[in-house]
Amino acid sequence: MSSADSITDPDFHCECEEGMESACIGEPFYKEWQGKRYCVLHFPGQEKARDFLPVFLRKLQRGDFTFQGVWFPEPVTFFSEFTADAEFGGATFKQEVKFLEGAAFRGKANFFGATFDEKATFLSTFNEPSFFYRATFNAEAFFRTTFNAETFFIDGIFNGKAYFGSTFKDNAIFCGATFGREADFNGASFEAEVDFGSAIFRDSVIFAQRENRPPVFTEKCSLNLAFTAIEKPDHVSFHTVGLRPHWFVNTDPRKFDFTYVTWNWNSIRAEIKTLKYSEVLSPHALLAIACWRLAANAEDTQRYEEASQLRYRAMNVRRKEHFGCAAFWRLSWWYWLASGYGERVLKAFLVLVGLWLFFALVFNHAGVSLEPTPMNQPRAFGSQYDRTPVPLTFSHALIYSAAVMTLQKPEPRAATLASQTAVVLESILGPVQAALLALAIRRKFMR
């Protein structure tokens, strides 16, 4: 039965899915399918192609962009702008579909639950929120567009390669999305939040900077990879992008590929504040774990200086978790003070120099007595030499302090309690600090 028979059936109501009727108001009965009566727009059969096209074009000409549940039998290309909200919720595209540059979306774009059985290409501009919630892409999905408002790909399914070379000026939400094949964000640019929470990646994932393109992650961007299921972690690649450590909380990046990445170090307070805003439990502990895992990744790939920075940050986060900056009763605080947890070469060196100068001043001080031992002169117990203060000149004190620090047992030997205490302390602290300096140098230039 064709649409011409609608005259004899004025009470026809299309038996499409509930909520999809607004796309075919006024359309006549077309054919039955599995006991249900459909209009030409919703009829799920390839044979309707010739009858479908005129009805489809008429809707576009009158500015009617309601296509909920519409079944598109042939390839379709949109090149004129959508001057009102575009409703493609539940639509099925059996052949390739293209939204070209001229097909700008002036209102909301709704692809809720749409199914794309062949390649889907989006080159247009989205000026209002766009919804691809639960959309299914069974073939390649190609996005090279500009999203000026929020974009939702929540629970979307990408069974083919997904390419996003787009600019996202507002939030991009991929929560719960499933990527069955490669997810390629080469050349994408995110200017706000990009959320992959609980997403599933079954194949490779690429975030890479392209020449003459804006940064992939701008300064205002935030990335969430929490609780993502990544089946091939060694196929996750970040190339020439700027990253922040707290983006990797509640995920395991130890096998990710980081190539020419730049770590944008916020203050620990700022990163913890961001995690608390996201309602992350135990933010200090989780940030420290993320930094340790990133450090392990860097060390495994011989990025030793980067690994050193990440280890330092991990330990610093834990130090500040409960006791703040001045927990001097804890060994970790002294470890930080002496050498930055064995990760700061300059700090360890300056502390070593400080110890040398401090004890040189002690030996130079007039109140410190040393037992003189003139050459070829015997020394008697209780002699005048035992009781006479003998301060060293500063130059002599420097040499004496260096000798004590290097365990050389210099002459004359300390005679008073104060000088003996100084010798004992320097002979312990000096070698320990030298060892911390050696450790920091080794970690900086590990081979």
Side-chain angles (χ1 to χ4, degrees):
M1 184 179 294
S2 69
S3 59
D5 297 313
S6 61
I7 298 175
T8 61
D9 195 1
D11 298 325
F12 165 70
H13 294 285
C14 183
E15 295 184 75
C16 57
E17 291 187 24
E18 185 177 355
M20 307 297 179
E21 304 90 346
S22 59
C24 62
I25 295 176
E27 291 296 327
F29 167 66
Y30 180 67
K31 282 185 179 180
E32 287 190 6
W33 176 267
Q34 296 182 350
K36 292 185 178 180
R37 293 155 56 85
Y38 291 96
C39 69
V40 69
L41 294 174
H42 291 113
F43 179 77
Q46 200 73 36
E47 66 272 19
K48 74 173 185 179
R50 179 179 297 181
D51 298 322
F52 173 85
L53 185 59
V55 178
F56 168 64
L57 292 177
R58 281 200 303 269
K59 283 178 70 69
L60 291 179
Q61 289 172 356
R62 65 175 181 261
D64 182 358
F65 307 117
T66 54
F67 295 98
Q68 296 102 319
V70 171
W71 206 90
F72 292 85
E74 289 191 328
V76 58
T77 299
F78 295 90
F79 49 85
S80 298
E81 69 176 6
F82 294 88
T83 55
D85 290 352
E87 296 287 348
F88 289 92
T92 299
F93 297 89
K94 298 301 292 182
Q95 302 293 328
E96 183 177 3
V97 57
K98 296 179 181 179
F99 293 85
L100 302 183
E101 289 91 338
F105 292 84
R106 300 301 178 191
K108 294 180 181 179
N110 181 22
F111 291 86
F112 183 106
T115 301
F116 301 83
D117 285 337
E118 295 294 336
K119 182 178 179 180
T121 301
F122 292 85
L123 306 178
S124 48
T125 300
F126 293 79
N127 293 300
E128 294 292 334
S130 51
F131 302 89
F132 292 86
Y133 180 59
R134 289 186 178 176
T136 300
F137 297 84
N138 291 318
E140 181 179 355
F142 185 92
F143 290 85
R144 195 176 66 190
T145 183
T146 299
F147 295 94
N148 290 315
E150 287 188 295
T151 310
F152 300 88
F153 290 92
I154 299 174
D155 293 337
I157 299 176
F158 297 87
N159 292 319
K161 177 180 177 179
Y163 173 76
F164 293 89
S166 302
T167 298
F168 297 85
K169 294 186 176 294
D170 207 326
N171 298 337
I173 312 299
F174 293 86
C175 292
T178 300
F179 296 87
R181 295 185 61 187
E182 179 181 355
D184 188 348
F185 295 89
N186 184 359
S189 180
F190 299 97
E191 299 184 12
E193 179 183 3
V194 51
D195 191 347
F196 290 96
S198 301
I200 299 173
F201 295 96
R202 303 192 186 281
D203 208 327
S204 59
V205 188
I206 302 172
F207 295 92
Q209 178 68 44
R210 292 186 64 180
E211 190 175 0
N212 300 322
R213 288 282 296 165
V216 176
F217 303 109
T218 62
E219 292 184 1
K220 296 182 179 180
C221 173
S222 65
L223 173 64
N224 178 27
L225 295 171
F227 306 112
T228 52
I230 301 175
E231 296 186 2
K232 298 179 180 179
D234 53 334
H235 285 58
V236 178
S237 177
F238 293 86
H239 196 296
T240 322
V241 296
L243 302 172
R244 299 189 187 278
H246 75 268
W247 292 353
F248 297 91
V249 164
N250 287 323
T251 192
D252 189 350
R254 283 176 289 185
K255 293 185 178 181
F256 292 1
D257 177 21
F258 295 100
T259 304
Y260 296 115
V261 301
T262 301
W263 292 102
N264 299 318
W265 305 105
N266 271 340
S267 67
I268 292 176
R269 178 179 296 181
E271 297 212 348
I272 293 298
K273 183 178 179 180
T274 301
L275 291 174
K276 287 182 177 179
Y277 179 78
S278 301
E279 299 182 352
V280 173
L281 299 178
S282 304
H284 286 84
L286 293 178
L287 179 58
I289 291 171
C291 289
W292 278 118
R293 288 173 172 175
L294 290 168
N297 178 292
E299 189 165 323
D300 288 344
T301 53
Q302 300 181 355
R303 301 178 348 260
Y304 298 117
E305 187 169 352
E306 189 175 311
S308 176
Q309 292 177 339
L310 288 161
R311 283 193 299 265
Y312 175 84
R313 198 167 185 85
M315 297 188 72
N316 225 18
V317 169
R318 294 311 301 264
R319 179 176 66 87
K320 294 184 177 183
E321 181 176 5
H322 299 297
F323 302 102
C325 299
F328 53 85
W329 60 90
R330 295 174 61 89
L331 182 60
S332 60
W333 187 86
W334 291 102
Y335 191 26
W336 162 79
L337 182 67
S339 64
Y341 313 109
E343 304 290 352
R344 293 290 188 263
V345 174
L346 181 60
K347 189 173 189 177
F349 174 75
L350 291 177
V351 172
L352 183 63
V353 171
L355 288 173
W356 172 48
L357 294 175
F358 171 77
F359 285 105
L361 289 173
V362 172
F363 296 131
N364 172 251
H365 198 275
V368 176
S369 298
L370 295 170
E371 180 186 21
T373 55
M375 294 184 63
N376 303 321
Q377 182 176 344
R379 190 172 54 188
F381 180 79
S383 66
Q384 183 67 24
Y385 289 127
D386 293 337
R387 299 185 297 273
T388 303
V390 183
L392 299 177
T393 64
F394 187 68
S395 58
H396 190 188
L398 288 173
I399 297 173
Y400 194 92
S401 177
V404 173
M405 183 175 287
T406 54
L407 306 178
Q408 299 300 308
K409 297 183 180 180
E411 294 291 346
R413 295 184 179 180
T416 65
L417 179 62
S419 59
Q420 289 174 350
T421 302
V423 168
V424 171
L425 287 176
E426 188 176 16
S427 62
I428 295 172
L429 297 178
V432 169
Q433 187 61 34
L436 290 174
L437 174 60
L439 174 64
I441 293 174
R442 172 173 169 73
R443 286 182 169 178
K444 201 80 169 178
F445 304 104
M446 234 183 247
R447 293 292 183 272

